[in-house]
Amino acid sequence: MTTDDRRGTSPATEQPATEQAATQQPAPRLTAGDDAGADSSFLILHGWQNRRPAGHWQHWLADRLGERGRQVVHPQLPDPDVPDPEVWLAEFARHLDALRGAERVVLAHSASAVLWLHAVARALPGLDRVDRVLLVAPPSPAVLAGLPEIAAFTPSGLDLCALPGATRLVAGDDDPYCPEGADAVYGDPLGVPTDILPGAAHLDLDAGYGPWPAVLDWCLDGSVPLTGRTG
């Protein structure tokens, strides 16, 4: 069963943030599963300036997991152009609490990957119930600090030593939002397995990341390393 929290708008249509906030959330979309071992739930969090376009790999992934009977929560976070990390943390906690599966998995892209680190630093309730985490293309602190709209997300002074759940990091080797290299900035300090993908940039639509079978494979089997898209 899939909970699709897309607030009743077409994911391919961008709305002003004020209009999004006023849009009522529809009843959950239900999808029947077709394979065993479906007692897993997934929280998929987007990044800065993202309104969950239909072509994005996160939207594609939510649909593929739903087809397999997984519970999926893929919310539109408020004010994606000028996000408030306090508001996003509150939304993160609310949606995390909605996960019902025996296994709970979080996938966070871009600014939301850094949001996860803030949640850990604050010991946000419920993190101990998360079994796996995939951090995708987190921007570096230097880049975040230089962008006024998301400077408040800069992970200054965070304790990066104790992450709950099994955490994995994936990033492009040419990500303009992390020119220092995600492995050097996050992977090595966090001590987490890191997959660096050649030419994957920020792992977004601009980099060609619509359908991405490898991330679906990881969702179904957390021991699988992340590889780039094909075709």
Side-chain angles (χ1 to χ4, degrees):
M1 181 168 64
T2 298
T3 302
D4 188 347
D5 184 18
R6 290 180 182 159
R7 298 184 185 267
T9 63
S10 170
T13 301
E14 294 191 1
Q15 289 181 294
T18 54
E19 185 177 343
Q20 288 178 339
T23 305
Q24 293 184 348
Q25 180 175 324
R29 176 171 60 88
L30 305 180
T31 304
D34 60 3
D35 65 338
D39 194 16
S40 300
S41 53
F42 296 84
L43 175 57
I44 302 176
L45 299 171
H46 67 76
W48 180 42
Q49 297 179 325
N50 187 299
R51 290 179 173 81
R52 301 169 305 159
H56 196 284
W57 66 264
Q58 289 189 319
H59 194 290
W60 174 88
L61 177 65
D63 288 343
R64 300 293 81 72
L65 290 170
E67 291 168 357
R68 288 162 172 78
R70 270 58 173 184
Q71 181 204 9
V72 182
V73 181
H74 180 210
Q76 177 63 61
L77 298 174
D79 300 324
D81 293 328
V82 284
D84 181 337
E86 299 301 324
V87 173
W88 277 27
L89 280 168
E91 286 292 286
F92 169 69
R94 180 170 72 88
H95 292 296
L96 184 63
D97 188 58
L99 298 184
R100 299 184 301 275
E103 182 191 38
R104 296 173 173 87
V105 184
V106 174
L107 298 94
H109 179 247
S110 192
S112 278
V114 178
L115 188 78
W116 170 259
L117 300 180
H118 284 282
V120 170
R122 298 188 187 193
L124 201 71
L127 296 188
D128 59 334
R129 299 194 301 273
V130 175
D131 298 286
R132 288 191 284 139
V133 179
L134 183 65
L135 304 178
V136 182
S140 73
V143 168
L144 288 167
L147 295 168
E149 299 90 343
I150 51 174
F153 283 75
T154 305
S156 176
L158 292 182
D159 179 3
L160 302 180
C161 297
L163 294 180
T167 303
R168 192 171 197 96
L169 170 67
V170 60
D173 66 354
D174 55 347
D175 188 347
Y177 290 96
C178 194
E180 307 92 330
D183 47 353
V185 175
Y186 292 109
D188 293 341
L190 289 169
V192 298
T194 301
D195 299 301
I196 301 298
L197 308 184
H202 198 50
L203 287 157
D204 54 12
L205 274 176
D206 288 342
Y209 275 78
W212 184 13
V215 75
L216 175 60
D217 292 343
W218 179 87
C219 286
L220 301 177
D221 180 355
S223 67
V224 174
L226 274 295
T227 57
R229 66 179 180 84
T230 58

